[in-house]
Amino acid sequence: MHRPQHDFVVDVYSHYFKVLPVSARSRQIIVEYLRTLVEMKLTKSRGKWSMQPDCTYAAKDFLRGRYHLHINVYDEFMLFLEERGIQTQDISVTEHGVHQGVAIELAVVDKYKPYENQLPIIQHCLTIGKQSAVTSQPGSGKTAMFCFVAEEKKVRFAVKSQGGYASRWEDAFVDYYGWEKGGRDYVLACGAKALRKLVKEVREGKRDDLKAVYISNGAIRDFIKDSGTPKHDTECGGMLNPEELYEVLGIGLVGVDEAHKEIHANVIADLYTNVACRICLTATLLARDDFTARVYETVSYTHLRAHETAANLV
């Protein structure tokens, strides 16, 4: 039997990488690795308590047979392969570029200026690269700092969070940028249908004035789940892979508010995120167990976090 040229084909994007196991041994190895990404939960069944699988911090494209893994486990995954006898020549790796986002005119209104202790954090977010996290305590102004970062980057941006935060971010857009409430500068996409409608409008050239999008976790989740269905493609104005969402929308910056909440949803969203910069905003990254600690490190490496004071900036 002819042996495949490579055991693994790997495609690397900004916040995730895709793995195609080609050989029989590679398929066994990927399943072994995926088991380390399964969260177990104490579950009662038939009067007995036991630890059962709850969710997996990975995704699979069943049509193409590729597994999506978070970019922050890339080194760990490669070491895992090496420990099982997979050599560099057994892996085909392709790195893909990223869309930088549509340039926009953006300025914070004059009455708002960053505080002195916020300046190092803003600078951290502007210089660290594709991903960072602001982990300052409640009341430190994480929303304001993100708005200042967006002002400096001047690209169309998105803010993503759990449901119920849309009005808070709408108020922030209106307050910090002076936009008209309900105007055309921003869109609140609190469901997949609204997100698909926006995609279609952008594709048709009807939203060149768009500057910001608020997207709920539920909208992203259902957008991914519905991809490939006739309804999804029709409402998007044509076929659209969820990995292409931010490029089609012209998004160059994504903020993830309350990143520690609905952490599984945030990881899964990252597995389809190819964007120039993603910033997590959270005051709470205290893990209750080793698995949760690993997940927090996956979403945001400790060395990517910007804390409240310059002394704690790492």
Side-chain angles (χ1 to χ4, degrees):
M1 182 181 293
H2 175 69
R3 184 181 183 278
Q5 184 178 0
H6 299 104
D7 286 293
F8 289 94
V9 176
V10 178
D11 290 273
V12 182
Y13 299 85
S14 66
H15 291 80
Y16 69 100
F17 62 101
K18 295 190 290 189
V19 180
L20 175 65
V22 179
S23 64
R25 71 164 178 165
S26 65
R27 288 190 285 271
Q28 293 174 346
I29 291 172
I30 190 70
V31 169
E32 184 182 355
Y33 181 75
L34 289 172
R35 290 193 182 109
T36 72
L37 301 177
V38 176
E39 183 174 19
M40 306 297 287
K41 184 178 181 180
L42 188 61
T43 305
K44 187 177 182 180
S45 177
R46 297 180 180 178
K48 295 183 179 180
W49 292 91
S50 62
M51 297 298 291
Q52 297 294 328
D54 182 50
C55 57
T56 304
Y57 286 80
K60 183 179 181 180
D61 181 339
F62 288 96
L63 182 62
R64 299 172 181 84
R66 285 171 166 80
Y67 297 88
H68 291 224
L69 302 174
H70 201 284
I71 193 63
N72 288 345
V73 302
Y74 182 84
D75 292 340
E76 174 189 277
F77 179 72
M78 289 301 179
L79 179 61
F80 190 89
L81 298 188
E82 182 182 337
E83 291 172 345
R84 282 146 185 83
I86 301 295
Q87 304 300 315
T88 303
Q89 61 268 23
D90 299 325
I91 310 170
S92 170
V93 178
T94 303
E95 296 192 5
H96 297 264
V98 62
H99 182 67
Q100 296 299 312
V102 173
I104 61 172
E105 292 295 325
L106 188 66
V108 173
V109 296
D110 290 339
K111 70 176 181 178
Y112 290 114
K113 303 293 180 185
Y115 295 121
E116 185 176 349
N117 67 331
Q118 294 176 336
L119 291 173
I121 301 176
I122 294 169
Q123 186 62 26
H124 172 90
C125 293
L126 289 171
T127 58
I128 199 168
K130 294 180 181 178
Q131 55 178 322
S132 63
V134 177
T135 58
S136 57
Q137 58 188 275
S140 58
K142 291 183 288 296
T143 299
M145 286 187 277
F146 179 82
C147 289
F148 287 123
V149 170
E151 177 190 35
E152 291 297 319
K153 287 190 171 291
K154 286 183 168 46
V155 293
R156 187 178 292 167
F157 66 92
V159 175
K160 187 179 74 69
S161 77
Q162 67 173 5
Y165 283 70
S167 60
R168 187 171 84 172
W169 277 98
E170 180 177 33
D171 290 343
F173 295 157
V174 171
D175 201 23
Y176 283 98
Y177 300 128
W179 296 342
E180 179 186 356
K181 191 165 187 175
R184 291 183 58 84
D185 292 297
Y186 66 93
V187 166
L188 304 178
C190 297
K193 186 176 181 66
L195 189 54
R196 290 191 289 264
K197 177 184 177 184
L198 177 61
V199 167
K200 185 176 182 181
E201 290 178 348
V202 170
R203 280 177 154 177
E204 293 174 348
K206 298 177 179 178
R207 294 311 307 260
D208 293 342
D209 51 358
L210 181 67
K211 296 183 175 68
V213 185
Y214 170 86
I215 309 174
S216 68
N217 284 342
I220 287 285
R221 179 197 62 224
D222 292 341
F223 190 89
I224 294 170
K225 183 179 68 175
D226 294 342
S227 64
T229 65
K231 174 184 177 181
H232 174 86
D233 293 341
T234 299
E235 293 183 357
C236 286
M239 294 181 62
L240 181 67
N241 190 312
E243 303 165 54
E244 302 168 339
L245 173 64
Y246 290 128
E247 181 175 354
V248 170
L249 290 180
I251 301 296
L253 169 67
V254 175
V256 183
D257 194 18
E258 301 290 354
H260 65 288
K261 296 182 179 179
E262 298 185 348
I263 188 69
H264 181 258
N266 285 327
V267 171
I268 297 302
D270 273 355
L271 302 185
Y272 296 88
T273 295
N274 191 36
V275 71
C277 182
R278 191 266 281 139
I279 301 173
C280 289
L281 309 173
T282 177
T284 308
L285 282 175
L286 301 176
R288 63 181 183 274
D289 53 50
D290 291 342
F291 186 88
T292 305
R294 181 189 179 196
V295 171
Y296 285 165
E297 284 297 291
T298 298
V299 172
S300 176
Y301 279 161
T302 301
H303 73 269
L304 296 176
R305 299 175 191 167
H307 301 276
E308 187 173 8
T309 66
N312 289 331
L313 189 61
V314 294

